[in-house]
Amino acid sequence: MQTFSYDQLREFTYTMLRKIGCPEADAKIGTDVLLSADLRGVDSHGVARLSGYVRLWEKGRINATPNVRVSYETPSTAVVDGDSGLGLVVAPFAMKVAIEKAKNVGTGWVSVKNSNHYGIAGYHAMMALEHDMIGISLTNASPLVAPTFSKERLLGTNPISVAIPAKNQPPFVADMATTTAANGKLEILQRKGLDTPTGWVQDKDGQPTTSANGVKDGGALLPLGGDREHGSHKGYALGAIVDIFSAVLSGANYGPWVPPFVAFLDPLPNLVGEGIGHFFGAMRVDAFRPADEFKSHMDNWIERFRSAETTPGNEKVLIPGDPERELEVIRMKEGIPLLDPVVKDLTALGERFGVKF
Amino acid sequence: MQTFSYDQLREFTYTMLRKIGCPEADAKIGTDVLLSADLRGVDSHGVARLSGYVRLWEKGRINATPNVRVSYETPSTAVVDGDSGLGLVVAPFAMKVAIEKAKNVGTGWVSVKNSNHYGIAGYHAMMALEHDMIGISLTNASPLVAPTFSKERLLGTNPISVAIPAKNQPPFVADMATTTAANGKLEILQRKGLDTPTGWVQDKDGQPTTSANGVKDGGALLPLGGDREHGSHKGYALGAIVDIFSAVLSGANYGPWVPPFVAFLDPLPNLVGEGIGHFFGAMRVDAFRPADEFKSHMDNWIERFRSAETTPGNEKVLIPGDPERELEVIRMKEGIPLLDPVVKDLTALGERFGVKF
């Protein structure tokens, strides 16, 4: 484990994105999105993925100079065609379209096709906050999750993020995979040689397992809930809704057809759409009630929940977004720790392109 | 257990709603909403609740002749003031507003204040289907759920329903509480003297319990996920989002201030809003891509998931809405079974108002 400053990682990421041909503005926003994951503690979605994006570019599956554009629209909706661009660039473009529509008619809803992995869902949802809007961000992803009763992997970890502004309190920011646990948590347990709790994974025969290698060995992640008795059909339904909003609405690939993020796996033949899909929403809070009134009540909501009496052994009830925001402050000051394999990977990546890590 | 025909229960419910003063059209739609729960197997939200609504009316907490109206709007949004009307009547009104807005600008989003319990979430979401729209229906509810790490009940079972049209396949209809299990399931276990699985309930001290009486004895239902290790912070975040969209946006009561459904408990003093809140959305699918194209891909999505290879011992992978739709056909033909305490309760209710059950 080594620690790097935010500026070091930003500089390296920006330079690498420029090396593969991204225009300045795209490299800047892409870097910002990627690094926000490292700052907020979603280590699996930050610079650790940089070489993955580069390998997809090398395979011709990511277009570094895309013509990202609105391909269809109504006053409150749009479809954005990402032209195989970096999701890190396509997603902020689409979220801006949603925000502009919300300015005009109260809300804006944008479904995106022909994109790639877009980093952390929360970044895009949070773009709405400075406009006194609620932001919503969904994406589908490579199939790693088995619906309830399915042996096959048919869904991605399909996250849901919702960001809601408050007044004096920090915003409410939920950002969660629709699985019991994200894949990044499995990787941590693998490295430590530990088992998973029940309800996280099934093996390749569709049987529950606590092996942290269960997914790597051909099994699947389980939807939030874990099994039927604990509500996995609800996690499955949520992941399905994310998939449909992101891809069936836009014309992207859905379900098992979502192209894998890893460059060594090829997309399936006979794709049903273009690239991967996202879905964004922006709602002006003053399209419902005066913004100041709304935000004061959000403060009251947050204060009431944060001050609730706790269960034994727990210090306080958290508001969604609290842990990530606290970590962001710490990491901005003290640096971002990267695991040795990540450091090695980035060093090798830099060497290949003549960039010092 | 006795079985009643749909027509018998409809006639009785309609007559009772007329008895408390509902206008004809309101009694008709209210009956339709309530009975759809019985048909679809959500027995806790059907006629079993009728006497509860009547008792709230007797307490002056439900207005049988409300002036339900749009109190604020933009092209894609509205706030509906339910004027303390039956949620069963207020909700379809609000959903219609959302649908009209979607016709005009692509999508419509309506937050509702000053309402009451609205029956099953799915009924209202499904209203969008015949218009080739996606329907969304959320509501908050009496506080019975403890957020992760909270000893206190601060949220309702706050359901999420999303209905999505297909072409030759039946629609995708998710309708789920954001808890591991709905309260109705606890009541079934209580009657049978059985324990609950882990992760459903905590006791009054905030400790996990498997007692089906846990909530009745002052404990709480747990958010989907059950505990932190199994993702309960995600279920908590979902329930919180439902609460905020339904009530902080509209000006209804939120969190622990949501007035209890049972008439023997009074609302808290110093309420933060008016009545309970709902949130509805309608999205025209052809505001994104041609409706026929969308619906054909939904058929493909549904067929692929339904034909997935299953885990051992399970016959098929279900599409959200399958079990409810199948039951609806059966119950329409063979009748609706009611538990003895429900029959007794409805008989007594009828006697009080001179209506034969």
Side-chain angles (χ1 to χ4, degrees):
Chain A
M1 186 94 87
Q2 273 180 269
T3 298
F4 297 83
S5 75
Y6 175 76
D7 287 345
Q8 278 178 296
L9 294 181
R10 190 188 54 191
E11 180 63 26
F12 178 74
T13 303
Y14 176 81
T15 309
M16 273 308 308
L17 291 180
R18 292 288 284 149
K19 279 278 173 190
I20 68 170
C22 293
E24 272 181 41
D26 287 6
K28 195 156 175 294
I29 185 87
T31 299
D32 203 42
V33 175
L34 206 64
L35 268 286
S36 75
D38 293 297
L39 286 176
R40 294 174 71 80
V42 193
D43 299 349
S44 54
H45 285 48
V47 290
R49 271 188 188 252
L50 181 57
S51 68
Y53 288 103
V54 172
R55 277 191 292 271
L56 283 175
W57 169 76
E58 290 174 308
K59 276 247 174 176
R61 284 175 50 197
I62 282 181
N63 176 2
T65 55
N67 173 26
V68 183
R69 66 192 180 91
V70 171
S71 61
Y72 187 73
E73 63 185 319
T74 75
S76 76
T77 68
V79 171
V80 162
D81 182 334
D83 194 22
S84 301
L86 276 170
L88 306 170
V89 171
V90 174
F93 175 97
M95 189 66 197
K96 275 183 201 157
V97 173
I99 288 168
E100 284 309 308
K101 290 191 174 284
K103 283 182 190 166
N104 292 328
V105 295
T107 66
W109 306 88
V110 177
S111 192
V112 179
K113 65 179 171 182
N114 212 351
S115 187
N116 278 287
H117 196 281
Y118 78 177
I120 51 168
Y123 181 95
H124 315 297
M126 284 191 290
M127 285 173 64
L129 294 173
E130 63 176 301
H131 303 281
D132 280 356
M133 294 181 187
I134 293 174
I136 296 167
S137 163
L138 318 173
T139 187
N140 69 8
S142 320
L144 286 176
V145 181
T148 306
F149 302 157
S150 168
K151 198 155 98 177
E152 298 181 69
R153 304 168 172 183
L154 296 176
L155 290 168
T157 51
N158 296 7
I160 296 175
S161 177
V162 177
I164 306 175
K167 194 173 174 180
N168 300 313
Q169 291 289 339
F172 173 110
V173 182
D175 184 358
M176 55 188 161
T178 50
T179 48
T180 309
N183 208 23
K185 294 210 176 154
L186 283 192
E187 288 165 9
I188 294 168
L189 294 174
Q190 280 167 26
R191 275 192 297 270
K192 295 187 181 167
L194 295 174
D195 276 353
T196 71
T198 57
W200 286 28
V201 183
Q202 70 185 23
D203 68 18
K204 65 176 171 30
D205 302 316
Q207 300 281 12
T209 178
T210 55
S211 162
N213 295 308
V215 178
K216 229 164 55 177
D217 293 347
L221 286 169
L222 293 172
L224 178 58
D227 60 26
R228 179 66 181 73
E229 192 173 73
H230 295 88
S232 68
H233 55 301
K234 301 181 183 189
Y236 154 41
L238 290 167
I241 291 163
V242 171
D243 193 36
I244 293 165
F245 282 23
S246 300
V248 184
L249 272 180
S250 64
N253 291 294
Y254 44 80
W257 289 281
V258 177
F261 178 75
V262 288
F264 61 84
L265 289 178
D266 284 327
L268 291 182
N270 306 318
L271 290 179
V272 294
E274 297 175 86
I276 83 165
H278 320 306
F279 185 82
F280 302 100
M283 298 199 286
R284 249 171 49 210
V285 298
D286 71 359
F288 295 91
R289 71 193 295 191
D292 198 63
E293 212 176 280
F294 175 87
K295 292 195 287 180
S296 296
H297 278 287
M298 274 308 296
D299 277 3
N300 190 44
W301 193 101
I302 290 169
E303 285 158 15
R304 178 65 183 86
F305 278 64
R306 214 198 290 286
S307 63
E309 204 180 339
T310 57
T311 50
N314 292 302
E315 250 174 64
K316 63 174 181 178
V317 173
L318 301 173
I319 306 302
D322 278 355
E324 295 87 351
R325 196 185 53 253
E326 285 163 17
L327 196 61
E328 189 165 3
V329 173
I330 293 170
R331 288 193 166 181
M332 195 55 106
K333 204 162 65 182
E334 300 176 5
I336 294 163
L338 297 182
L339 295 167
D340 293 337
V342 174
V343 175
K344 215 172 129 184
D345 180 58
L346 290 173
T347 307
L349 177 69
E351 277 165 8
R352 282 208 291 134
F353 286 83
V355 182
K356 193 177 170 338
F357 179 64
Chain B
M1 186 93 86
Q2 273 180 269
T3 298
F4 297 83
S5 77
Y6 175 76
D7 286 344
Q8 277 178 297
L9 295 181
R10 190 188 54 190
E11 180 63 26
F12 178 75
T13 303
Y14 175 81
T15 309
M16 274 307 309
L17 291 180
R18 292 287 286 148
K19 279 277 173 190
I20 68 171
C22 293
E24 271 181 42
D26 287 6
K28 194 157 175 296
I29 183 88
T31 298
D32 203 42
V33 175
L34 207 64
L35 268 285
S36 75
D38 293 296
L39 286 176
R40 294 174 71 81
V42 192
D43 300 349
S44 53
H45 285 49
V47 290
R49 271 187 189 255
L50 181 57
S51 67
Y53 287 104
V54 173
R55 277 191 294 270
L56 283 175
W57 168 77
E58 290 175 310
K59 276 245 172 177
R61 284 174 52 197
I62 281 181
N63 177 2
T65 54
N67 174 26
V68 184
R69 67 192 180 89
V70 171
S71 61
Y72 187 73
E73 64 184 319
T74 73
S76 76
T77 68
V79 172
V80 163
D81 182 335
D83 195 20
S84 301
L86 277 171
L88 306 170
V89 171
V90 174
F93 175 96
M95 189 65 197
K96 276 183 199 156
V97 174
I99 289 168
E100 284 309 308
K101 290 192 174 283
K103 284 183 189 164
N104 291 329
V105 295
T107 66
W109 306 89
V110 178
S111 191
V112 179
K113 65 179 172 182
N114 212 353
S115 186
N116 277 287
H117 196 281
Y118 79 0
I120 52 167
Y123 181 95
H124 315 297
M126 285 191 290
M127 286 173 64
L129 294 172
E130 63 177 301
H131 303 281
D132 278 357
M133 293 181 188
I134 293 173
I136 296 167
S137 163
L138 318 173
T139 187
N140 69 10
S142 320
L144 286 176
V145 182
T148 306
F149 302 157
S150 168
K151 198 154 97 176
E152 298 182 67
R153 303 166 171 186
L154 296 176
L155 290 168
T157 51
N158 296 9
I160 296 174
S161 176
V162 177
I164 306 175
K167 194 174 172 179
N168 299 315
Q169 291 289 339
F172 173 110
V173 182
D175 183 357
M176 55 187 161
T178 49
T179 48
T180 308
N183 209 22
K185 293 209 177 156
L186 283 192
E187 288 164 11
I188 295 168
L189 294 174
Q190 281 166 26
R191 274 191 299 268
K192 295 186 179 167
L194 295 175
D195 276 353
T196 72
T198 57
W200 285 28
V201 184
Q202 72 185 22
D203 68 19
K204 65 176 171 30
D205 302 316
Q207 300 281 12
T209 178
T210 55
S211 162
N213 294 308
V215 178
K216 228 164 56 175
D217 293 346
L221 286 169
L222 293 172
L224 178 58
D227 60 26
R228 179 65 181 75
E229 190 173 74
H230 294 89
S232 68
H233 55 301
K234 300 180 183 190
Y236 154 41
L238 290 167
I241 292 163
V242 171
D243 192 37
I244 293 164
F245 282 24
S246 300
V248 185
L249 272 180
S250 64
N253 290 294
Y254 45 80
W257 289 281
V258 177
F261 177 75
V262 289
F264 61 84
L265 289 178
D266 284 326
L268 290 182
N270 305 317
L271 290 178
V272 295
E274 297 175 85
I276 83 165
H278 320 306
F279 185 83
F280 302 100
M283 299 199 285
R284 248 171 50 210
V285 299
D286 71 359
F288 295 91
R289 71 192 296 191
D292 198 64
E293 213 176 280
F294 174 87
K295 292 195 287 179
S296 296
H297 277 287
M298 274 308 297
D299 278 2
N300 190 43
W301 192 101
I302 289 168
E303 284 157 15
R304 178 65 183 86
F305 278 65
R306 214 198 291 283
S307 64
E309 204 180 341
T310 57
T311 50
N314 292 302
E315 251 176 64
K316 62 175 181 177
V317 173
L318 301 173
I319 305 302
D322 278 355
E324 295 87 351
R325 195 185 54 256
E326 285 162 17
L327 197 61
E328 190 165 1
V329 174
I330 294 170
R331 289 192 167 181
M332 194 56 106
K333 204 162 66 183
E334 300 177 6
I336 294 162
L338 297 182
L339 294 167
D340 294 337
V342 174
V343 175
K344 213 171 131 184
D345 180 57
L346 290 174
T347 307
L349 177 69
E351 277 166 7
R352 282 208 291 135
F353 286 83
V355 182
K356 193 177 172 337
F357 180 64

